[in-house]
Amino acid sequence: MGFVNFRLEETSGQSNTATVITELGIGNFKAFGETQRVPVKPLTLIFGANSSGKSSILHGLLLAHHGMESGEYDVHQTVLAGEMVDLGGFLNYVHKHDPSGAVVVRFETRLDRNLVPELHGAARERKPFREFSRFGLVLHIGFPPANSLPDGTQRRPLIRMVEILIDGTPALKLSSDGPLLQAQPISHPLLERALRAVFDRSFPKEVPSILSSLLADNTAVAPQGTHLIADELKDQPSPPTSDRTSEGEFGHLKEVFSKVLAGRPFLLDRLVLVDIGPYANIDPADGREWVERRDDADGTLTGFFDAHREEDSEEWWPEAQAVQHNFSKVIGFCTARIAEALRGVSYLGPMRFVPPRHFTALGIRDPRLVAGGSAAWELLCRDTGIIEVVNKWLGRGHLATPYCLKAKQLLDADRVREALRESGSAEQKLNDAVALTELMFEDTLASTIVSHRDVGFGVGQVLPILVNACALKDRLIAIEQPESQLHPAQQAELGDVFIESALGERKNTFLLETHSEHLILRVLRRVRETTEGKLPVGTTPVRPEDVSVVFIDPTSQGSVVRQLPVTPDGDFGAPWPGGFFADRLADLP
């Protein structure tokens, strides 16, 4: 059995149970040449040798987040990671430092039919926009052509093209034209079905011959002796003429749709595609004279046009506009979901920050320092309710440290003096002044209070991970080397931390760049125990579809992502390169 390799046009055939972003693709970025795809599940583990490109997958995520928040793609230090991730600028992170190349970042999400906004048209015309399953947003980042810039303008990397994928197939390409993107028509089965529904409504198929004869005769007997009278048939559509139901007429509708779509302007607003064409929003108060076409049966809006635009009088123009209007709504909805998920990404780097011996609250509000873990210590000072949950994982039955985290309320002399100088109730001011909290650990074996600087480096490294897992909810959490400085048994226990945070009430999604054999073995064990019904009491179930394991394999053409499917018995459905951690066996006597 070989590796499972993905190409851009293929489907993974696997569902996801938690995250909005269900697949991440990276191409022409650092070690990656051809675009590689990583299926994102609640538990996504990324393995590979040093310098193979494991971290580059997470850094591609940081690049996209940085561009969304700042609009800048000549990126050095990213918004989320600060000095911890320095991409060195576009010419450093583009594959092989090729200035003519374009970095590709791809996101995929699954359609939630219950959240799709209201669409126009009859039910069968709306249906195609609700029945696809996968939506992809592909960003092509690179330098614009030199001849496209005014004289003296500095060339800076930007989003040169955006692709929209429906069920893995391109449905729309948008090329850059300054701040706007211009649409290029593409034939796609979904759009074909939507246009066919419009056509069939306006020009229904031939009425069956028996019905035609009944319509021509005031009294007739249908097959099997069923008596019909003409009054019962008067609302049936008349048989359309052959030239109006020809494929040539349908071809004309498709040509009009292409004309409507071609060159249509879109604005990329923080990765949300916004249609700003003349029919993006139909507003009767905007001064234009809108002419609507409505379905005779239920009165729903099926098309619209501007009475003062000459081209709008063309046959099929209103219907083509209505299809485009629905298409734009779905695009805006899906890209907004991806952008919202990306905005909520949390990142922890491989070396976590440990605060000085005496601190209360760090007073840091720089979101970049989340990557170093400092925000986790500050959160513990501000929200002591998290301490109880963190202590559960630190204690017996889990990481098995002898330490219990405690919070001590302090009086700050300067704040007390200030409170007494101010007018009002001195007692209330004193109560307000008691706002400082210091964290400390109790050594439960020695019954001694100790500083976090005295408990071993591993505890300080794992504490930000525990805080992220226990405090965040519905977030995409990317962590490099979560096993850093931990004993092998504690690395295994981290597996249960991630399982509960991802598949329990918190519904987080983890991207874990790791070398830990013990971590993946714990996850595989829980899969097997779930299948066999032998999970320990209180342990969260985990199934193969909840886990994505990939191995990054460096080649002369660029690193390649190999997927290692997980089976219900807690094994891999494809061989690990060289055997599962075979280097361990090679060193045994």
Side-chain angles (χ1 to χ4, degrees), residues 264 277-294 301 303-309 312 317-318 321 325:
R264 194 179 189 93
Y279 302 92
N281 295 288
I282 305 304
D283 183 3
D286 66 1
R288 284 180 283 183
E289 184 179 345
W290 292 109
V291 178
E292 299 179 345
R293 289 188 182 177
R294 294 188 175 273
L301 181 65
F304 36 77
F305 62 93
D306 186 342
H308 299 291
R309 285 172 57 94
D312 287 7
W317 191 270
Q321 286 287 358
H325 189 67

Side-chain angles (χ1 to χ4, degrees), residues 308-355:
H308 299 291
R309 285 172 57 94
E310 183 177 349
E311 63 266 37
D312 287 7
S313 63
E314 183 179 352
E315 190 73 36
W316 292 114
W317 191 270
E319 286 78 4
Q321 286 287 358
V323 171
Q324 170 58 28
H325 189 67
N326 287 340
F327 189 33
S328 295
K329 271 197 165 185
V330 170
I331 289 173
F333 164 73
C334 290
T335 54
R337 293 195 74 215
I338 291 172
E340 182 180 6
L342 186 59
R343 192 169 294 116
V345 166
S346 178
Y347 168 78
L348 281 175
M351 294 296 292
R352 269 77 74 181
F353 167 83
V354 179

